[in-house]
Amino acid sequence: MKVIDVYRQYFAAECVYNTVERKGALVTLTATSDSGEIKYEVGVTFFPHKDEEDYAISYDACAVKVLYQASGRRSKKREAEFLPNIPTYADEAAAELGGKIHWDRPLRDAQYA
């Protein structure tokens, strides 16, 4: 199985989960390929972000939205179609956790694979 974060970026956020206040969110577009199958999903993970150096991810406050799953392989064209809509997909996933992502306040630059 091969897992690639096509896109990942940290943002300021708001969420209280398991009685812990979270002030950051990691948003990813992940491609997973295995045995001729490809799956794309957007993931959101909220974490405490207590100071400028704190990027310790806590995996209890996470949600995933599957965008595509079928036979095939990784497609740059398909990824280009997903990228502009990441905020919409991530907001849907964040809402499941009662969280909000501040898209206008990135904590780090976006990374692409």
Side-chain angles (χ1 to χ4, degrees):
M1 181 181 313
K2 188 170 186 178
V3 179
I4 298 172
D5 281 340
V6 175
Y7 162 87
R8 67 185 285 131
Q9 189 168 11
Y10 294 87
F11 292 92
E14 297 172 30
C15 184
V16 175
Y17 195 84
N18 283 341
T19 69
V20 177
E21 184 178 11
R22 319 297 170 111
K23 295 181 181 179
L26 170 60
V27 178
T28 58
L29 171 63
T30 304
T32 304
S33 61
D34 189 28
S35 303
E37 295 284 321
I38 185 72
K39 177 170 66 172
Y40 286 97
E41 54 193 10
V42 169
V44 177
T45 302
F46 289 97
F47 61 99
H49 194 59
K50 296 175 184 174
D51 59 51
E52 291 298 316
E53 301 298 317
D54 180 19
Y55 287 88
I57 301 298
S58 50
Y59 291 97
D60 64 337
C62 60
V64 175
K65 180 171 178 61
V66 176
L67 305 180
Y68 180 85
Q69 186 169 2
S71 295
R73 58 188 175 145
R74 187 175 172 197
S75 165
K76 296 284 187 177
K77 181 180 177 182
R78 189 172 296 117
E79 291 168 7
E81 292 171 6
F82 292 144
L83 285 170
N85 299 310
I86 285 177
T88 301
Y89 303 134
D91 283 342
E92 291 172 11
E96 293 176 22
L97 301 170
K100 178 173 174 45
I101 302 165
H102 298 290
W103 297 103
D104 59 337
R105 293 174 35 209
L107 299 174
R108 296 242 172 127
D109 291 337
Q111 297 173 335
Y112 299 92

